[in-house]
Amino acid sequence: MKRKNDELKFIGLDGFSEIESITSEPVKKSELKKPAKAKKKTDSHKGLGEMLKASKKIPQPAHFEGGAREQVVYKKRVVIAVAASVTAAMLSLVTVASALDSSTDSKEPQDALTPAVISPATADEPVSEVKATEPDISGTSGLYIDGELIGVVDDGEELKEALDGILADAKEGYDDATTTEFANKVEVKPYSGDKDTESVDDLMEYSQYMYSIKLSTDWIYEEEIPYETEITEDDSQPEGYEEVTQEGQNGSKQTTLRLTFVNGDQTDAVVTGEKEISKPVNEKKIVGTAKTPGESTGSFMWPVPHTHSITSYMEWRWGRMHNGIDIAGGGDYGQPFVAADGGTVVWAGDDGGGYGNYVMIDHGNGYMTVYGHACELACSTGDYVSQGQVIGYIGSTGNSTGPHLHFEVRLDGEYQDPLNYVS
């Protein structure tokens, strides 16, 4: 009867990615491999261990998905043996006491093989129950897998040793933290039926595909902890300026996974521990935030800091169009005016026209601004100026009736109402 091959399923960690590319450090004494056949009492013993030993190796962890699962705590067989010994001793005491009582008080003798229960003397005393001893399998016994009788042998102890040997041999080469057990229910129990007995060797041969072996072991690997970058802004440096004052360095941590395999196929992976090996060192960087001289911000600011008073708007005046606004508020002569936005000074001076001393700035995005009637200029043709930089001082040169700043905005050569851009 052959075991059906189940589809390989990987059950693992949420968000875990490609750890097969990480250098691993197994806890095991040797490379991961499929559980091997147990050492046989005779050369003819065969079982699942031998079959797995000849097959492919257990795969390294691949891609884990899903959440961490509760770890399975495997009880050592020695603990069970000690518990059985204690239970047997208690049963002996209870049986003797019961026999003494039955000789005087009981009409029917008590069966010495029936587990006894010690009742509390008072309500304050705890109830203790004596469990029955393990069944005697030294004689004729049957092998049961998932409750189904598979076969019968003359010596159940020999059969049990053969099964234990398979589990022991399956973890050969691993560390002491590795555990093995049957994934399904495998039992050896006394048998009193009429089924013919067979040798342990033949029964192990026949049943080798009917049970599965689950192996759990630790796998340790290291991974990097990426460093972060701490940025300090410096408004004394232009945009685009960067200076690394401390180099970054990745840290590392060690992660322990509890891997579970059934017949060599990985079925689970649970993180059981993490330990930081080295802390990351953050990179420290200074970046400039100041606008580069001559760089346009894409918006305009009010050009006269000391007043927002307007004496003339963009409108028809004296029979012709006044193509800008006049700004004056009293006491204006000699007051500074500033560049409404960054750009290149394409003219600074007096060309004999009606503007007197004036400045024209190309902002590089189709916009130009004009500042007229200055008494003195603070820039020259070809200069790069920033938004808010002083470029001249209010005067009354050219066609002017008093100190003021004539301010224009042009887009692709067309005059625009400045009040649509500044206020």
Side-chain angles (χ1 to χ4, degrees):
M1 178 177 183
K2 294 188 178 181
R3 177 177 61 88
K4 295 181 179 179
N5 293 322
D6 296 330
E7 181 182 358
L8 174 60
K9 296 181 180 178
F10 291 92
I11 307 172
L13 306 175
D14 184 22
F16 217 85
S17 59
E18 305 305 331
I19 69 173
E20 69 270 23
S21 63
I22 303 173
T23 301
S24 63
E25 181 185 342
V27 177
K28 305 174 283 298
K29 300 175 184 175
S30 63
E31 284 188 313
L32 283 173
K33 61 181 182 178
K34 280 203 170 184
K37 169 72 172 67
K39 294 184 176 65
K40 302 182 287 290
K41 294 191 66 175
T42 65
D43 293 337
S44 59
H45 276 177
K46 293 184 179 180
L48 184 60
E50 186 176 84
M51 180 270 291
L52 293 177
K53 187 174 184 180
S55 64
K56 63 181 180 180
K57 292 184 178 180
I58 290 177
Q60 289 287 345
H63 190 91
F64 301 124
E65 301 176 352
R69 291 165 176 77
E70 181 181 359
Q71 297 186 54
V72 177
V73 179
Y74 299 102
K75 297 182 179 179
K76 300 293 186 179
R77 185 170 299 279
V78 65
V79 176
I80 299 175
V82 172
S85 299
V86 173
T87 302
M90 294 179 65
L91 268 177
S92 298
L93 294 176
V94 173
T95 302
V96 172
S98 300
L100 292 175
D101 291 341
S102 63
S103 63
T104 56
D105 298 331
S106 176
K107 294 181 180 179
E108 297 181 1
Q110 183 175 347
D111 188 348
L113 297 180
T114 303
V117 177
I118 302 177
S119 300
T122 65
D124 295 332
E125 296 179 2
V127 176
S128 61
E129 182 176 335
V130 179
K131 297 182 180 179
T133 59
E134 290 185 355
D136 181 11
I137 57 172
S138 60
T140 303
S141 302
L143 172 63
Y144 294 82
I145 298 179
D146 294 328
E148 179 184 353
L149 177 62
I150 305 302
V152 179
V153 297
D154 292 323
D155 187 350
E157 291 288 356
E158 182 183 354
L159 175 60
K160 184 174 181 300
E161 286 180 11
L163 293 170
D164 290 343
I166 289 176
L167 295 179
D169 216 33
K171 63 178 181 180
E172 183 179 354
Y174 292 82
D175 67 350
D176 293 338
T178 301
T179 60
T180 53
E181 63 178 344
F182 290 110
N184 43 358
K185 190 175 182 180
V186 177
E187 300 174 285
V188 178
K189 299 190 294 185
Y191 179 77
S192 60
D194 56 1
K195 186 177 180 63
D196 292 338
T197 61
E198 55 188 307
S199 70
V200 171
D201 295 333
D202 289 343
L203 182 54
M204 295 298 293
E205 173 90 21
Y206 171 70
S207 62
Q208 62 180 314
Y209 297 108
M210 299 180 183
Y211 51 77
S212 300
I213 293 178
K214 179 167 70 174
L215 180 145
S216 297
T217 191
D218 288 336
W219 187 67
I220 295 177
Y221 67 95
E222 289 185 15
E223 62 180 320
E224 289 187 337
I225 304 175
Y227 67 82
E228 297 179 353
T229 300
E230 300 176 10
I231 295 178
T232 301
E233 295 183 348
D234 185 354
D235 59 7
S236 68
Q237 298 292 345
E239 287 183 335
Y241 172 85
E242 289 188 359
E243 179 185 356
V244 177
T245 59
Q246 177 175 287
E247 295 289 341
Q249 183 176 348
N250 290 333
S252 63
K253 66 178 180 178
Q254 180 177 282
T255 301
T256 301
L257 291 179
R258 188 69 174 177
L259 303 180
T260 300
F261 300 88
V262 175
N263 291 348
D265 294 337
Q266 182 189 319
T267 60
D268 204 0
V270 178
V271 174
T272 57
E274 288 185 341
K275 181 176 68 175
E276 185 177 71
I277 298 174
S278 62
K279 292 182 178 295
V281 177
N282 287 346
E283 179 186 63
K284 294 184 178 180
K285 181 187 295 185
I286 297 175
V287 298
T289 58
K291 293 292 182 182
T292 302
E295 182 180 355
S296 173
T297 67
S299 60
F300 296 107
M301 66 179 293
W302 186 258
V304 182
H306 82 282
T307 183
H308 277 242
S309 178
I310 299 174
T311 58
S312 184
Y313 294 88
M314 185 175 177
E315 57 190 356
W316 284 92
R317 187 182 66 176
W318 304 327
R320 62 185 178 86
M321 187 66 178
H322 182 233
N323 291 317
I325 59 175
D326 292 340
I327 303 172
D332 304 300
Y333 191 88
Q335 292 288 342
F337 58 88
V338 301
D341 197 7
T344 304
V345 177
V346 294
W347 175 262
D350 188 345
D351 59 3
Y355 290 107
N357 286 324
Y358 74 98
V359 176
M360 180 178 290
I361 300 175
D362 183 356
H363 301 289
N365 51 11
Y367 285 96
M368 297 183 71
T369 51
V370 177
Y371 311 77
H373 310 305
C375 67
E376 184 181 352
L377 300 179
C379 62
S380 302
T381 301
D383 285 353
Y384 296 103
V385 294
S386 300
Q387 186 180 57
Q389 180 179 332
V390 175
I391 56 176
Y393 300 90
I394 293 175
S396 187
T397 57
N399 296 333
S400 173
T401 58
H404 71 282
L405 176 69
H406 174 79
F407 177 60
E408 294 179 3
V409 176
R410 303 177 187 178
L411 175 59
D412 297 329
E414 299 290 332
Y415 294 100
Q416 307 292 314
D417 187 349
L419 294 181
N420 291 333
Y421 300 90
V422 297
S423 59

